[in-house]
Amino acid sequence: MGQKKDLTGSEKSKIVRYLAEGCSSLKIAKLLKRDHRTIKRFIQNSQQGRKKRVEKPRRKITAHELRKVKRAAAKMPLATSLAIFQSCNITGVPKSTRCAILRDMAKVRKAERRPPLNKTHKLKRQDWAKKYLKTDFSKVLWTDEMRVSLDGPDGWAHGWIGKGQRAPVRLRRQQGGGGVLVWAGIIKDELVGPFRVEDGVKLNSQSYCQFLEDTFFKQWYRKKSASFKKNMIFMQDNAPSHVSKYSTAWLARKGIKEEKLMTWPPCSPDLNPIENLWSIIKCEIYKEGKQYTSLNSVWEAVVAAACNVDGEQIKTLTESMDGRLLSVLAKKGGYIGR
């Protein structure tokens, strides 16, 4: 009788069935043509129950150590639970206990992303706030571009899953599967756009001006009254395609120049209220970790989400500018958040 090392899954199933029929281990070995010792070993291992887990006594944390942990968590933002406890010379505490303790005094957060501000940037932000402090912001058109990808931000693809349920499969694609560049503006309680930049077009000075001509000027600006055009202030950030000599001269020929073209301080996305509109739209199109299969489908989602933004939401954003300017001055040009 040949002797093999391991029993196959099929052989194990047959052994169980033969045992249920009352066959002895010797008879099973003959039926399967396997060594008797192999069969006996499998039966003995199957009859042994699982060893009970021995609960190790957990280390108790004193009130003094808790105070040390709290101080360390305040001094070490974004540190792991292990690093915090090690800095307090507290060892032997399992991860589950460390996290349970920290949840009572801290929260898990991501680091905030913001542009770097040096002394020059802060001075320019203060000068800008002083210059426009008495401006009627209901007459300012706030504009910006946003890129949306098929996959959306990675950090948003998580949420609660019911017990017994499996997490949905999420596709992995390079560069988020590609994306669409979107331009829009807001003024008072009105949304201008959104308009889609043609796929494959890189926005340099010439293509940016042509894009504005085909979308903003032809589809929106020309329909406005002469008094509206006279009072409107056009805002754009300091992207190279926006502030080049070519773009500035082209906008001047369109009547947007001098006081009608708002100067913009460097590294200041926190001062542009349309950034908050982008957050509203992204939260809507990527809710529940949604992904898209084509550029047209993600564009349609952007349009649908933009249509759901009502005038009151936009008005709240544009009316926040007075408070933003005061915050910039109070923080001496520092970052104010969004």
Side-chain angles (χ1 to χ4, degrees):
M1 186 186 301
Q3 183 176 350
K4 299 180 181 179
K5 289 184 178 180
D6 298 316
L7 291 168
T8 63
S10 176
E11 288 174 329
K12 291 176 182 179
S13 300
K14 289 179 180 179
I15 293 172
V16 174
R17 189 172 68 251
Y18 289 145
L19 287 172
E21 294 174 358
C23 297
S24 65
S25 59
L26 184 60
K27 185 176 180 180
I28 295 173
K30 290 181 179 179
L31 289 171
L32 297 179
K33 297 181 179 180
R34 296 296 301 260
D35 186 77
H36 183 213
R37 291 169 296 179
T38 303
I39 303 298
K40 285 184 68 177
R41 191 182 305 113
F42 171 74
I43 295 172
Q44 289 172 356
N45 292 339
S46 300
Q47 290 174 344
Q48 289 179 359
R50 293 181 64 183
K51 293 182 179 179
K52 290 185 178 181
R53 182 178 176 182
V54 179
E55 290 287 344
K56 296 181 180 179
R58 292 192 173 184
R59 189 186 187 288
K60 291 184 178 181
I61 306 297
T62 65
H64 175 66
E65 289 175 328
L66 280 176
R67 289 193 294 271
K68 290 175 65 177
V69 169
K70 189 173 183 178
R71 287 195 296 268
K75 292 179 180 179
M76 302 169 61
L78 303 181
T80 63
S81 62
L82 180 61
I84 291 172
F85 275 71
Q86 284 180 342
S87 68
C88 301
N89 295 322
I90 304 174
T91 59
V93 182
K95 182 179 179 180
S96 58
T97 304
R98 296 197 305 264
C99 293
I101 292 171
L102 288 171
R103 269 193 290 269
D104 292 334
M105 61 182 70
K107 293 182 179 180
V108 177
R109 287 287 183 270
K110 280 186 175 181
E112 292 185 16
R113 298 178 65 182
R114 60 178 63 173
L117 291 177
N118 56 34
K119 187 177 180 180
T120 303
H121 294 157
K122 291 180 180 180
L123 290 173
K124 289 184 177 181
R125 283 163 62 92
Q126 291 181 77
D127 292 341
W128 176 85
K130 292 174 183 177
K131 178 180 179 180
Y132 291 102
L133 195 58
K134 296 182 180 180
T135 301
D136 182 0
F137 290 111
S138 66
K139 294 180 172 58
V140 177
L141 175 68
W142 309 92
T143 71
D144 194 24
E145 295 94 9
M146 168 186 69
R147 179 169 292 278
V148 289
S149 65
L150 299 184
D151 294 344
D154 292 335
W156 292 8
H158 68 278
W160 294 100
I161 299 292
K163 290 184 177 179
Q165 293 182 328
R166 296 184 62 185
V169 176
R170 184 168 177 81
L171 302 176
R172 292 188 62 186
R173 296 175 285 204
Q174 289 186 350
Q175 304 298 323
V180 174
L181 187 62
V182 180
W183 183 96
I186 55 175
I187 181 169
K188 197 175 181 180
D189 59 355
E190 185 178 357
L191 173 62
V192 183
F195 299 117
R196 177 178 177 178
V197 178
E198 186 178 347
D199 297 340
V201 173
K202 184 178 180 180
L203 282 186
N204 53 29
S205 301
Q206 290 78 10
S207 59
Y208 173 65
C209 293
Q210 187 60 50
F211 171 79
L212 290 181
E213 175 65 32
D214 297 337
T215 55
F216 168 67
F217 282 101
K218 285 185 178 180
Q219 299 182 38
W220 187 81
Y221 189 71
R222 286 183 181 177
K223 299 176 183 178
K224 296 299 181 180
S225 64
S227 60
F228 176 89
K229 295 176 182 178
K230 182 180 178 180
N231 295 319
M232 191 198 79
I233 301 173
F234 188 83
M235 173 272 156
Q236 59 183 1
D237 62 21
N238 294 321
S241 61
H242 298 176
V243 297
S244 66
K245 291 182 179 179
Y246 180 94
S247 299
T248 304
W250 185 86
L251 286 171
R253 291 196 296 270
K254 292 289 184 178
I256 299 177
K257 57 184 177 179
E258 298 174 352
E259 294 302 318
K260 292 191 64 179
L261 181 61
M262 178 178 281
T263 58
W264 194 248
C267 302
S268 300
D270 55 317
L271 300 179
N272 192 350
I274 201 173
E275 295 288 350
N276 299 90
L277 175 70
W278 295 144
S279 297
I280 293 171
I281 292 176
K282 284 185 176 181
C283 286
E284 179 63 25
I285 66 175
Y286 295 124
K287 64 182 179 182
E288 299 176 0
K290 185 173 178 60
Q291 293 180 289
Y292 298 87
T293 56
S294 68
L295 297 181
N296 287 334
S297 63
V298 72
W299 165 243
E300 290 169 1
V302 169
V303 173
C307 290
N308 290 332
V309 179
D310 58 41
E312 285 301 317
Q313 288 178 287
I314 297 173
K315 190 175 180 181
T316 300
L317 296 179
T318 55
E319 287 183 346
S320 69
M321 288 308 303
D322 290 320
R324 297 186 193 220
L325 266 65
L326 293 174
S327 296
V328 169
L329 294 174
K331 294 190 175 184
K332 297 181 179 179
Y335 190 81
I336 64 170
R338 297 180 190 174

